Amino acid sequence: MKKNTVARKKSESAEQLIQSIVFGINELKGEDIVILDLRDIANAAADYFIVCHGNSTTQAEAISRSVEKATLTQLNEHPWHI
């Protein structure tokens, strides 16, 4: 497989994961969603970091569960860390 093909597939996979996470957040009305692209930062722990907020601890926990469910259902991906 050529390098461009591998990079494109990785990019498409990342885009699908981002869309799934944002979907899970939107399902429970998470607010102020910010997607941080960390790919240009050397030694970053992740390529992307997605942040949002809820209006209560209960909502924030529900958003977390919704993201887990969305990524598992849509992409069969489990979280690396919660």
Side-chain angles (χ1 to χ4, degrees):
M1 206 178 286
K2 291 185 177 181
K3 216 176 201 183
N4 289 345
T5 305
V6 172
R8 187 173 54 242
K9 285 187 179 189
K10 184 177 178 184
S11 176
E12 290 171 1
S13 177
E15 184 63 32
Q16 290 174 336
L17 184 57
I18 290 168
Q19 288 176 356
S20 181
I21 291 168
V22 170
F23 175 81
I25 293 170
N26 282 326
E27 281 291 294
L28 288 167
K29 298 180 176 49
E31 299 178 5
D32 300 327
I33 301 169
V34 177
I35 302 169
L36 302 171
D37 185 348
L38 306 176
R39 291 176 294 175
D40 292 334
I41 299 173
N43 301 317
D47 289 341
Y48 296 92
F49 200 80
I50 302 172
V51 183
C52 74
H53 82 86
N55 293 313
S56 68
T57 303
T58 303
Q59 185 186 17
E61 290 172 357
I63 290 169
S64 174
R65 287 190 304 272
S66 177
V67 168
E68 284 183 75
K69 181 179 177 184
T71 57
L72 183 61
T73 302
Q74 295 174 9
L75 304 173
N76 199 30
E77 289 282 341
H78 295 277
W80 177 63
H81 194 284
I82 299 173

